Amino acid sequence: MIYIGSETILSPNGNVVDCFKKIAEKKSGVSKIPGNGFKGESFYCSMYLENRPDFNTLAAQTIEQLLQKSKANLLTEESTLLIISTTKGDLSKGFENAIISPAKFLYEKFKLKHFPLIISNACASGVMAINAAAAFIENKQYQNIIVLGIDMITDFIVYGFQSLYAISDEHCKPFDNDRKGINLGEGAGAVLLSASKDVFTSTPVCFLGGSSSNDANHISGPSRTGEGLFRSINKTFNSAGIKTEDIDFISAHGTATVFNDEMEAIAFNRLNMQHIPVNSFKGFTGHTLGAAGVIETALCITCMHENKLLPSAGYYNKGTTVELNLIKDAASATINTVLKTASGFGGCNASLLLQKIK
Amino acid sequence: MKITGCCRIHQNEVLVNGKKYFTSDKNQHEELSMQLYRFLKTEYPKFYKMDLLSKMGWLATEIVCQTIPTISKFADDEIALLFANSHSCSESDERFNHSFKVENSPSPSQFVYTLPNILLGELAIRHKWYGENLFTILPEFSAEHFSSHAGIFIPQKAKALFCGWINLFPVTDVFVFFAEANSETSPGILDSKEIEHWYKIIK
């Protein structure tokens, strides 16, 4: 059995408890940032407005917070690995060193036994990093793996998504009929995976399985048929021996672009999951890119412990050609089994399954 | 698992399965990639719009595919891609940065290449591979990385593996190999000495 827990978030909206509470109360985590666009446009983002930490500080603080929920000295054990999930790393260190530099910093600061493994697979990085961690533990290569997902908002990223006309000029509305694009977000999330329950100071959940699949279709546009996402979820279900009817909640990718959300809706329908409660956390957190999969998995674990379905911020009216069961308000429910999905540029799609310990 | 085909590009030299395949009279990445593309005599119009990272990875993978006809026996999701380098997509990052800082016009076509795994998307599109893929950033080439990480995918999630090290700086340093299970070796276990041997054949 592989356990996952010690769920941690450090973001402009606070820690994992703060985020959970604010989402349940439908408080928005994104706000209008004056003049942050290329031509001085104002965009909505989830961004630190004061006391903004630098990349390395945020990364280190997130790990330290995770360690408070874990067995002492875990980090420096021979059998522990740190995996970092990021799309752009710390661009202030120069393009060639942006990703390696924070890994070196954490390696030295925490006197790690192994150099961190860095995964950079677009917006599916976080889910893929957790899946890779589980595979390492299953193969007995490591006993414990900390997965840190982190990305910060930079002009580079804002101008890039702006050039693709992918940024909404209002609060983003995942899966809604009036959705216009993404809100960017920044922050970090971390989870601990282990072969042993004893390393967690609070109850973990089980990692049942995960996989990825490429659309083999387009480098920046999602598949019209949801092929890669469909295949990934199918593989994940088969590997874990789980069926559609076992799923209590789906945490979708839900970026709020027209094509992404439609693609996901089609994939979920192909798997007959249209009736299962589903949300996107991005209306609250913004799209935190390489951190998203880890932050959202941390929120999923909290939903399981609290037995609470959290609303999909920004959703009002059906916005996809096929049905979905979007969660409009926080609701109590027994949540035993959760499907988390992610998709990204390069045609990548990933999924994983979480289940409460029986 | 056993390596059944590999392509090594170092500076202006290209070796396939250890044998000299092509030598460019140019040492620049861009010219080398175009010369090698023409040498391959394969028509693939999408090649021209790729960034340098994708071009190099695409060329080396294409060459390996041509030497292993049995690749087609694998189902469309049985080949996993495990690629890495040390500098991510810094060359495309510089280009996109230039587009908004100097040319005053952020280029969407350059922005989409500012993720290293776009290369994996290009390979998936080219070969219709729907399998697993992962791009990692390492401080330097490591045979150990590929041998110890093969087990992420093999044998549960894939039957064969395309691995690639695609570094462009300070010099072109590319190594792509295909590994598959055979009757004499255990699946998921890739000998790092075998990887090191084929990598060091030039360096």
Side-chain angles (χ1 to χ4, degrees):
Chain A
M1 185 59 74
I2 296 164
Y3 300 97
I4 176 169
S6 303
E7 60 282 5
T8 303
I9 295 174
L10 263 190
S11 76
N13 298 301
N15 64 23
V16 68
V17 177
D18 302 327
C19 288
F20 184 86
K21 201 164 164 266
K22 288 178 190 169
I23 299 171
E25 291 167 1
K26 288 195 171 178
K27 285 187 182 146
S28 181
V30 296
S31 57
K32 194 171 187 176
I33 311 292
N36 63 342
F38 183 65
K39 288 183 177 155
E41 308 92 323
S42 300
F43 285 113
Y44 286 80
C45 298
S46 173
M47 206 172 160
Y48 286 95
L49 300 175
E50 50 192 27
N51 301 326
R52 191 173 191 231
D54 64 39
F55 194 97
N56 285 349
T57 306
L58 180 65
Q61 284 177 350
T62 307
I63 292 172
E64 278 160 1
Q65 205 167 101
L66 175 136
L67 292 174
Q68 289 173 11
K69 296 175 155 190
S70 320
K71 193 187 80 174
N73 304 325
L74 175 92
L75 191 58
T76 49
E77 282 177 13
E78 181 63 37
S79 59
T80 298
L81 175 73
L82 171 66
I83 299 184
I84 302 170
S85 159
T86 186
T87 60
K88 297 311 297 174
D90 182 1
L91 287 177
S92 73
K93 298 292 190 295
F95 295 121
E96 269 191 56
N97 292 312
I99 294 189
I100 280 291
S101 166
K104 277 189 186 143
F105 168 79
L106 295 172
Y107 178 59
E108 285 162 14
K109 180 183 168 61
F110 290 113
K111 299 185 172 58
L112 305 176
K113 291 286 185 302
H114 308 278
F115 194 83
L117 174 67
I118 311 159
I119 289 179
S120 189
N121 237 86
C123 304
S125 301
V127 175
M128 286 188 179
I130 294 170
N131 289 345
F136 281 137
I137 293 170
E138 203 173 324
N139 296 341
K140 299 191 167 46
Q141 284 170 282
Y142 298 95
Q143 176 87 9
N144 315 298
I145 299 185
I146 294 167
V147 179
L148 168 73
I150 177 165
D151 261 313
M152 296 296 273
I153 294 176
T154 55
D155 288 347
F156 186 100
I157 287 296
V158 174
Y159 302 165
F161 280 100
Q162 227 185 319
S163 77
L164 296 172
Y165 296 97
I167 299 190
S168 171
D169 58 0
E170 53 183 38
H171 280 106
C172 74
K173 296 175 172 172
F175 299 104
D176 186 82
N177 196 37
D178 296 327
R179 66 184 183 276
K180 292 178 173 176
I182 68 170
N183 293 156
L184 285 165
E186 64 185 4
V191 288
L192 169 65
L193 286 92
S194 179
S196 162
K197 225 188 324 189
D198 303 334
V199 299
F200 303 91
T201 54
S202 60
T203 316
V205 299
C206 300
F207 176 94
L208 291 188
S211 72
S212 80
S213 185
N214 199 290
D215 283 331
N217 174 63
H218 195 278
I219 56 162
S220 57
S223 154
R224 297 283 170 126
T225 59
E227 186 64 20
L229 183 57
F230 169 80
R231 284 183 184 234
S232 168
I233 297 171
N234 232 348
K235 277 195 284 186
T236 298
F237 279 4
N238 290 338
S239 70
I242 286 286
K243 294 189 178 69
T244 295
E245 52 266 35
D246 300 323
I247 307 296
D248 299 309
F249 163 54
I250 305 168
S251 165
H253 189 54
T255 60
T257 66
V258 171
F259 293 117
N260 172 80
D261 294 5
E262 174 69 11
M263 176 281 285
E264 287 187 68
I266 289 170
F268 294 148
N269 271 262
R270 286 177 67 185
L271 290 144
N272 288 318
M273 300 199 297
Q274 58 277 11
H275 59 286
I276 299 171
V278 59
N279 79 1
S280 162
F281 287 118
K282 294 194 175 59
F284 176 80
T285 59
H287 191 348
T288 55
L289 310 174
V294 186
I295 288 176
E296 290 161 19
T297 299
L299 287 169
C300 286
I301 296 171
T302 314
C303 289
M304 295 169 83
H305 288 321
E306 302 288 328
N307 279 313
K308 200 166 210 173
L309 295 167
L310 291 183
S312 198
Y315 180 77
Y316 305 97
N317 299 302
K318 182 189 166 200
T320 50
T321 56
V322 288
E323 294 293 328
L324 283 179
N325 181 14
L326 266 298
I327 308 167
K328 284 188 173 174
D329 296 289
S332 294
T334 305
I335 310 176
N336 287 321
T337 311
V338 172
L339 171 68
K340 169 79 208 114
T341 67
S343 301
F345 282 176
C348 55
N349 301 272
S351 56
L352 61 80
L353 279 169
L354 306 171
Q355 192 169 64
K356 264 187 206 158
I357 298 173
K358 278 178 185 155
Chain B
M1 299 187 84
K2 195 160 174 50
I3 295 175
T4 51
C6 67
C7 176
R8 181 81 175 92
I9 307 175
H10 187 251
Q11 293 188 343
N12 61 338
E13 257 191 286
V14 183
L15 266 71
V16 177
N17 298 333
K19 294 196 181 77
K20 194 167 271 189
Y21 179 80
F22 180 77
T23 306
S24 169
D25 55 0
K26 300 286 193 328
N27 224 336
Q28 295 297 317
H29 313 291
E30 196 70 53
E31 288 158 326
L32 166 71
S33 70
M34 286 316 296
Q35 283 190 348
L36 190 54
Y37 175 76
R38 285 192 288 268
F39 182 76
L40 268 177
K41 293 191 171 63
T42 303
E43 274 303 308
Y44 192 66
K46 283 195 181 89
F47 178 82
Y48 297 98
K49 55 109 198 167
M50 291 179 198
D51 74 340
L52 213 44
L53 186 71
S54 294
K55 276 182 178 153
M56 283 297 178
W58 188 93
L59 286 164
T61 307
E62 194 71 15
I63 291 168
V64 175
C65 282
Q66 288 183 3
T67 63
I68 310 175
T70 52
I71 278 181
S72 57
K73 79 179 182 203
F74 292 97
D76 63 6
D77 62 351
E78 286 180 345
I79 298 174
L81 309 176
L82 181 60
F83 278 59
N85 74 1
S86 75
H87 55 73
S88 186
C89 46
S90 61
E91 206 256 353
S92 281
D93 290 345
E94 297 279 6
R95 280 176 198 265
F96 176 67
N97 193 53
H98 189 267
S99 80
F100 70 81
K101 280 221 168 116
V102 179
E103 291 161 23
N104 210 26
S105 169
S107 160
S109 58
Q110 277 158 8
F111 181 65
V112 295
Y113 282 98
T114 63
L115 291 164
N117 66 300
I118 296 296
L119 156 61
L120 307 181
E122 294 286 11
L123 298 179
I125 293 166
R126 164 66 173 161
H127 301 280
K128 284 283 156 202
W129 287 331
Y130 293 89
E132 296 269 352
N133 45 101
L134 196 64
F135 201 101
T136 65
I137 314 293
L138 315 174
E140 58 190 3
F141 176 81
S142 159
E144 191 61 39
H145 164 80
F146 292 106
S147 67
S148 66
H149 295 182
I152 297 177
F153 299 131
I154 310 280
Q156 280 88 2
K157 296 175 181 175
K159 287 190 174 160
L161 203 56
F162 247 111
C163 293
W165 171 256
I166 318 293
N167 238 35
L168 304 176
F169 307 106
V171 296
T172 309
D173 182 33
V174 171
F175 179 47
V176 167
F177 65 90
F178 185 73
E180 52 190 311
N182 70 358
S183 49
E184 298 130 49
T185 55
S186 334
I189 300 192
L190 197 52
D191 184 1
S192 68
K193 288 198 190 83
E194 193 186 358
I195 300 171
E196 188 108 17
H197 165 79
W198 291 114
Y199 176 74
K200 285 196 167 161
I201 209 142
I202 291 188
K203 211 168 184 179

